[in-house]
Amino acid sequence: MNGSQKVCALTIGSFEAIHAGHVALIKTAVSQKNFVSGIITFSSQIKNEGTGLIFTLEQRLEFFKNLGLDFAVVIDFTQDFSKIEGADFIETLISVCGMKFLVEGSDFKCGYKGLLNMEELEKISQEKKFELCRQDYVFFEDEKISSSRVKKEILAGNFICAQKMLLRPFALDVRGISFKEKSVGSENSIFEFRNEKNQVLPKNGIYKVTALDSDGNIFHTTLEIENENLRIALPTSGIAEKTAEIKFC
């Protein structure tokens, strides 16, 4: 690192949900004066829970930017990467990113088999002379907010609870997905598409949603879910092709 590079305030994690707890971490990193704020995250789930992603990488990167982060480093969590020792990973962040401040929750773990915990990280921070901040947990209805809890609420169709923990509605990212017109109505046509981006879906049924297109237009409509097949009512094929997100009410 040369003298012209700035020191960084970082937070590390998969941030699959970017729920209220994650937002608190990010805001702490962003609030550090005279530091460049950044996030170290991953291109996919670290653990495959078999229920899909909450938000896609594209959505998460947008959220990071809107929360004021200066940069994001996206790591492909490969088999080789999973074998890196936690201490070596932290050393890389210091030497490459100029990390001088790290904020994490008390349950943070990283490195091979998650063996580097906060207690070990505290020792490393003292040795390597960077500040380690423990962020308090964020609670909703007297229970700690977590990605798994958010996912549970989405699966059950409890979108209001999920929204309160996410601080935003849960939304399907449909940019680039192909819509097929299945039937034509007097006001709306039915368009079918697949859950190609492997996002978590609630149980089969019909849901009230809001469709947002790339021009910023909003359409209040319904979405039918039948396993991985989805059907949405929209006025025209032109609108379907421009649809970027589908938010659950």
Side-chain angles (χ1 to χ4, degrees):
M1 175 177 181
N2 62 53
S4 64
Q5 291 178 299
K6 295 182 179 180
V7 293
C8 293
L10 298 178
T11 186
I12 308 165
S14 61
F15 300 99
E16 181 194 346
I18 316 185
H19 53 59
H22 295 150
V23 171
L25 288 169
I26 292 168
K27 285 186 174 180
T28 297
V30 170
S31 69
Q32 302 309 302
K33 295 181 180 179
N34 302 318
F35 283 73
V36 175
S37 61
I39 197 164
I40 310 298
T41 192
F42 306 95
S43 58
S44 60
Q45 291 166 296
I46 295 175
K47 295 180 181 179
N48 183 9
E49 300 177 359
T51 53
L53 300 165
I54 295 176
F55 290 119
T56 65
L57 177 60
E58 290 80 6
Q59 288 174 310
R60 286 184 281 146
L61 290 174
E62 286 181 0
F63 297 157
F64 297 153
K65 182 179 179 181
N66 292 337
L67 287 167
L69 285 165
D70 294 309
F71 70 92
V73 175
V74 181
I75 297 171
D76 188 9
F77 201 88
T78 62
Q79 196 75 3
D80 288 341
F81 180 81
S82 69
K83 296 176 182 177
I84 296 174
E85 297 291 340
D88 293 337
F89 180 53
I90 296 299
E91 179 64 40
T92 299
L93 297 181
I94 295 168
S95 61
V96 175
C97 298
M99 183 181 73
K100 285 293 184 180
F101 181 95
L102 177 64
V103 55
E104 296 296 342
S106 295
D107 58 356
F108 174 77
K109 294 180 180 180
C110 75
Y112 180 60
K113 294 186 177 181
L115 293 176
L116 183 66
N117 57 25
M118 283 296 277
E119 284 64 38
E120 292 299 317
L121 193 54
E122 192 80 57
K123 297 175 185 176
I124 294 174
S125 71
Q126 294 170 9
E127 178 188 340
K128 299 296 182 180
K129 295 181 172 53
F130 66 88
E131 182 179 350
L132 179 62
C133 174
R134 288 183 185 240
Q135 184 74 46
D136 292 336
Y137 294 128
V138 177
F139 291 82
F140 171 67
E141 295 183 346
D142 299 323
E143 187 178 344
K144 186 184 79 169
I145 296 174
S146 66
S147 295
S148 59
R149 187 179 173 203
V150 171
K151 188 172 289 189
K152 181 180 178 181
E153 297 295 353
I154 294 171
L155 288 166
N158 298 328
F159 303 116
I160 298 300
C161 288
Q163 180 172 336
K164 288 179 178 179
M165 291 188 283
L166 291 170
L167 306 179
R168 64 181 62 83
F170 168 62
L172 295 178
D173 181 358
V174 294
R175 288 167 290 192
I177 289 180
S178 175
F179 286 75
K180 295 181 180 179
E181 192 169 17
K182 302 300 290 185
S183 63
V184 180
S186 57
E187 294 184 2
N188 291 325
S189 297
I190 303 299
F191 296 88
E192 188 174 80
F193 62 100
R194 298 276 295 174
N195 183 25
E196 296 175 9
K197 298 187 180 182
N198 190 36
Q199 286 185 262
V200 61
L201 293 175
K203 59 188 176 182
N204 291 350
I206 298 175
Y207 299 92
K208 291 181 179 179
V209 296
T210 301
L212 292 85
D213 71 14
S214 55
D215 295 328
N217 298 309
I218 298 172
F219 302 91
H220 299 285
T221 184
T222 57
L223 176 73
E224 180 182 3
I225 297 175
E226 185 179 355
N227 301 321
E228 292 296 303
N229 294 311
L230 299 94
R231 301 178 189 90
I232 189 169
L234 290 170
T236 67
S237 58
I239 291 172
E241 291 169 359
K242 290 184 176 181
T243 301
E245 284 192 322
I246 298 171
K247 296 184 177 182
F248 287 81
C249 304

